[in-house]
Amino acid sequence: MIESDFFSDPYSNLPKQGKVAWKAPSNIALVKYWGKLAHQIPANPSISFTLDACATTTSMAFGKKEESSDTFSFDLLFEGKPKEDFKPKIQTFFERIDAYVPFLKEYHLVIETSNSFPHSSGIASSASGMAALSLCIMDIEKQMNPDMDEVFFNKKASFLARLGSGSACRSIEGDLIQWGTHKNIPESSNLYGIKYPFEVHPLFKNYHDTILLVHKGQKQVSSTVGHELMHGHPFAENRFQQAHENLDALKAVFASGDVEEFIKIVESEALTLHAMMMTSMPYFILMKPDTLEIINKIWAYRSENHVPICFTLDAGANVHVLYPESVKEKAIQFIQDELVEHCEKGHYICDRIGQGARKIQ
Ligand code: PMV
């Protein structure tokens, strides 16, 4: 599909008012997206596990304006209270998606949003937040166009979410989502995420992700700035090429359930992401001493006990500890005994692979 496929059909039957609500999960990338072109087009393809517990719930009440106007009109409540400082981001998002959902300007919207995870946990809410918002908008569009099928609904929701925050396009469906054109992945697209189209061993169907909250404060460098620094980065082209190769390598890994190869690719991806940050100009480091302590303890534990526990990192200091269901008890014991002491206030979140967003009735 191409961009113009997402322009909405002319509409005549605008509902007068209503309310829709969706809960969308976060996701954790295995092959990382880092670097982008104009209009949120990724510089390389990526793949992620959709999460389950870490999610944003958003409702959107819409009422037709008395008179048409060419501006967006909305109130925003975060965890029940007006949140003025979130509004510019949403205004920018609405401007980016205007051409695809022109009906939005016909309404005054009241958006209420909340996260399942603590606000200042250092977990980015932009993926789940933009996904939930996009699904609410698509739900309104579907009321005007009831014949819209689920496949298009999800694709366009992912397409819109991408324009809010790139990785948000991987937070619509579960459980393994690929985004970005790749020559060996049929139907892959830079415009939206797709369900991973190849065989996936049951081992990877119920993976766990325990998120260790190492540093809950604001990041020194935002993802937006980080992506930007990949322009003119001395290693950028090799890095983008490597992401393509890692996606190729993962095909056999997912099919066979080869957890050792999985670990090599996933940990290398995490460290490469941070290596790109450290070799940007200006350079920066988002890991903290405790991030490295945790990584070293995971490596020591894995080699001593032959338990397939590994880590990945987002653009921050928190560590995502990944492990299959079969070693759950051992992994939790190890995390409690050795890793929790490196978490801020001992906080961590037990999450697992999930099946995607759902409508709240
Ligand atoms: O979606 P953004 O612009 O916040 O970028 C997210 C980038 C990473 O989380 C670091 C990697 C990824 O693929 O999710």
Side-chain angles (χ1 to χ4, degrees), residues 5-298:
D5 293 329
F6 294 108
F7 290 126
S8 63
D9 290 335
Y11 43 82
S12 49
N13 49 343
L14 281 176
K16 224 171 158 325
Q17 59 185 42
K19 188 172 181 179
V20 291
W22 282 79
K23 181 175 182 180
S26 187
N27 69 76
I28 182 67
L30 305 170
V31 172
K32 309 288 180 182
Y33 146 62
W34 197 243
K36 63 177 164 186
L37 313 173
H39 308 296
Q40 305 277 100
I41 297 298
N44 66 260
S46 58
I47 190 165
S48 52
F49 278 149
T50 304
L51 295 180
D52 186 43
C54 289
T56 299
T57 301
T58 299
S59 70
M60 188 181 269
F62 54 99
K64 201 134 176 336
K65 289 179 189 166
E66 294 283 311
E67 277 171 43
S68 282
S69 70
D70 200 33
T71 53
F72 296 104
S73 167
F74 65 99
D75 298 325
L76 183 74
L77 291 107
F78 177 68
E79 280 162 10
K81 297 194 192 82
K83 187 87 178 154
E84 288 304 310
D85 45 333
F86 278 10
K87 285 183 87 173
K89 202 170 177 191
I90 293 186
Q91 173 73 27
T92 306
F93 174 55
F94 285 165
E95 286 164 12
R96 283 190 194 156
I97 64 173
D98 183 28
Y100 308 100
V101 285
F103 56 86
L104 268 193
K105 280 184 179 155
E106 305 285 341
Y107 292 106
H108 175 71
L109 309 169
V110 180
I111 303 164
E112 288 192 58
T113 187
S114 61
N115 294 331
S116 66
F117 44 91
H119 178 42
S120 57
S121 59
I123 297 187
S125 57
S126 55
S128 53
M130 287 298 172
L133 197 55
S134 301
L135 285 156
C136 288
I137 295 167
M138 284 311 296
D139 206 338
I140 301 175
E141 182 169 351
K142 192 169 160 65
Q143 293 186 20
M144 290 176 243
N145 179 8
D147 296 335
M148 185 190 298
D149 67 20
E150 198 186 331
V151 172
F152 182 81
F153 181 95
N154 283 334
K155 261 188 195 162
K156 187 165 173 181
S158 174
F159 172 87
L160 297 178
R162 183 194 102 246
L163 292 168
S165 169
S167 60
C169 77
R170 299 187 313 238
S171 271
I172 304 295
E173 293 181 271
D175 44 2
L176 197 52
I177 302 293
Q178 193 275 330
W179 167 44
T181 308
H182 186 291
K183 71 178 190 323
N184 297 326
I185 304 181
E187 312 285 320
S188 60
S189 171
N190 283 338
L191 301 180
Y192 46 80
I194 60 166
K195 272 173 161 304
Y196 189 62
F198 302 124
E199 187 189 349
V200 179
H201 191 278
L203 182 93
F204 295 114
K205 287 284 175 187
N206 46 19
Y207 238 69
H208 288 256
D209 177 5
T210 300
I211 308 165
L212 305 179
L213 305 176
V214 170
H215 182 72
K216 302 190 191 169
Q218 188 83 26
K219 289 187 287 196
Q220 293 125 315
V221 181
S222 69
S223 292
T224 311
V225 172
H227 286 294
E228 200 53 44
L229 292 173
M230 288 303 279
H231 290 288
H233 189 295
F235 308 133
E237 283 316 312
N238 282 336
R239 158 59 198 151
F240 301 149
Q241 183 56 33
Q242 180 197 40
H244 285 264
E245 287 159 14
N246 280 341
L247 273 157
D248 273 329
L250 275 174
K251 187 175 173 188
V253 169
F254 282 135
S256 64
D258 184 345
V259 74
E260 274 178 36
E261 276 307 304
F262 175 80
I263 289 173
K264 281 188 203 157
I265 295 169
V266 168
E267 292 191 343
S268 161
E269 276 287 326
L271 294 179
T272 301
L273 169 70
H274 285 258
M276 290 301 111
M277 299 172 188
M278 289 191 253
T279 48
S280 296
M281 192 55 79
Y283 40 82
F284 59 103
I285 300 180
L286 296 183
M287 291 185 285
K288 298 282 176 198
D290 282 309
T291 312
L292 297 179
E293 295 275 357
I294 291 169
I295 291 174
N296 279 312
K297 283 189 175 178
I298 290 174

